[in-house]
Structure formats: structure tokens, C-alpha cells
Amino acid sequence: MKKSIFKTISLSLLATLICGCEIDNYKQPDASLFGKVIDKETGEAILQDIGGEGSQLEYIEQGFATTSSRYLNFKTDGTFCEKNMFKGQYEIKANRTNFHVLPSTLVDVNGDTEFNIVTLPYCRVKVKELTFQEEKQRVLARFSVDRTTNDNLKKVGLFCDQNKNVSASINNDGDRSCIIDVNRAVTSEEEFTIKMPLTALDSASYWFRLGALTSVSEAKWNYSDAVQLNIIKKEVPQKEIGIRWDLFDHFEYWVPHKTVGTFVWDDKDFKSGMQPGKP
């Protein structure tokens, strides 16, 4: 009787071990997909926002009756990498981007597989000046925007953070009001100026970046390279208390911005009194 019980237990244990071995022998991911999105005219990477705020890559494994999409976020330098993939063929396409979307592509993923997207950004931000003006306690940015689409330019902005990946979503240190609605067509010859007051900053190093957003459906921001500036904070005498009306020097009308009290603004920065054309 004891032998029979022992035999039964031994057989059960053996079956368990065999099943365990079968589970362990399941195929593991053995391939990866990596690459970057490249401006086909300049050869430079198309810079992205961080995480879900940037462009997104969708990939669908082929060869199954039922398929499902998986998503991969670009890194801020325009690269992407997915290491946990199985060898096989995948349909790959980009969604919600800051560049012209290409038709979906079938890619054979085997080992470490490189796949680059060569296209055009919706626009390019061309920096002419991005400097710290100590005497006026502000950062001055002059730039133009080169569109590659007929869609309007929706917004431009100057962003500041101690994180070198500063962007519209990582913009914790500077004046957040330096995002300006444009909502019109612009030419590459037109120059924009944004002046960021440094009321919220201490004496330290900060990263600054310019961005532009087109009105393309679900478009993401396009960016210039980030620039690190050393800020030296100092007190300036109070000149006049009033309303700062406009961050754009060349606009034909003044746009209400914010109340200022302890900073010296030059004539193009500062207007007192009522907005022209209004009682």
C-alpha cells in the first residue's frame, strides 16, 4: 500500500516537473526595433516632447488572425527603441506627430533591427538670438518659423526649466505666459521676438527652448535645440507700475499680458493706459 501511494506521488511530481519545463520553454522576446525620425532636407533628428506629449509609433505584429496595436513613445532626441519584440513582420506607422506622416510600412524584425523615418517636420524653428540680458533681467529670443505645410501657425513659445529636456510640457521655471497665439499663415522671413521676464528665477543655470505648433490636426510641438543660460539675478529700481501689453514688437495691436511692478521695460515692452481702439 505504501509503495502504491509513493508511486502515485512520484508520478504526480514527475508530471508537475514536466509541465514546469514546458512553461519554461515558452519562446521569449528575442528581437528589438530602434531608429529615429529624420528631417529629409537637413538630415537632423526631429526633436520631440517627452513621453506621451511627443510623437507616437504604433506597431502591429502580423501573421495572426487577431492582431492588436502596441505603442512606443519617441525620446526627446527623436530616437525610439523597443527591446521586447519577437522575431517577425510588423506593420509600423506613426500617430499624433510633429512631422508629416508616411504610409504604414511592413518591417521584418530579426535581431536588432534599425528602422528610420525620413520625412519633414511640420515646421522648423530657426533661432537668431537667445540671450540673457542682465541689465533688463530678461531672456530675449528672436526667431523665425519655416512651415512645410499650408496650415496656419497656431502658437509659438519660449520655455524654461532646469531640465535639459525643457519643452511645452516641461516648463516649470520661467514665465509660463510666454506662449503666444498666432493663428495665421507666416513666412520664413518673418521674425518673432519673445521677451521673458525673470521674476520667478534665482541665480542659476537654466535651459531655454523655443517651440512652434501648427494647426495640423493632433499636431505636436516642433522645437529648436535647447540652450543653457546662466542667470544672474539682481534688483532693479521701480520705474513705473502699469500693464505690460505685448511680447511681440511688430504686432499692430497691443495684447494684454500681465501687471508688472518692479522691472524696467523699454518702450517696446511697456504701454500704459487703455488698449488702443477701446474706450
Side-chain angles (χ1 to χ4, degrees), residues 69-86:
S69 296
R70 297 181 66 185
Y71 298 92
L72 178 62
N73 294 324
F74 286 78
K75 298 179 182 179
T76 55
D77 62 358
T79 63
F80 60 87
C81 182
E82 177 57 85
K83 296 182 178 180
N84 297 314
M85 298 181 72
F86 292 101

Side-chain angles (χ1 to χ4, degrees), residues 118-168:
V118 183
T119 182
L120 289 174
Y122 286 141
C123 64
R124 301 184 190 94
V125 182
K126 297 184 176 181
V127 181
K128 299 182 179 181
E129 182 180 3
L130 184 52
T131 55
F132 167 53
Q133 296 181 319
E134 183 177 350
E135 73 283 359
K136 293 187 177 180
Q137 288 290 284
R138 69 185 185 188
V139 168
L140 171 66
R142 296 189 305 109
F143 62 101
S144 61
V145 179
D146 182 14
R147 293 177 302 145
T148 65
T149 171
N150 291 326
D151 297 88
N152 286 344
L153 181 62
K154 187 176 181 179
K155 297 182 179 186
V156 294
L158 175 61
F159 311 110
C160 171
D161 200 279
Q162 289 191 298
N163 186 326
K164 66 179 181 179
N165 293 316
V166 57
S167 64

Side-chain angles (χ1 to χ4, degrees), residues 182-224:
V182 181
N183 294 320
R184 60 181 177 85
V186 299
T187 66
S188 57
E189 291 77 26
E190 185 173 353
E191 182 177 291
F192 296 98
T193 301
I194 299 180
K195 300 162 184 173
M196 178 183 285
L198 303 180
T199 53
L201 301 188
D202 297 319
S203 293
S205 292
Y206 297 88
W207 290 90
F208 294 84
R209 191 196 298 272
L210 286 159
L213 179 66
T214 66
S215 60
V216 177
S217 177
E218 295 190 301
K220 301 295 186 178
W221 285 82
N222 287 102
Y223 294 103
S224 66

Side-chain angles (χ1 to χ4, degrees), residues 23-55:
I23 292 174
D24 289 342
N25 287 332
Y26 281 167
K27 184 179 178 182
Q28 298 297 314
D30 57 358
S32 67
L33 180 72
F34 68 95
K36 62 182 175 180
V37 56
I38 301 170
D39 185 331
K40 69 178 182 180
E41 290 186 354
T42 68
E44 298 175 348
I46 300 176
L47 303 179
Q48 301 294 318
D49 212 328
I50 193 167
E53 298 301 319
S55 302

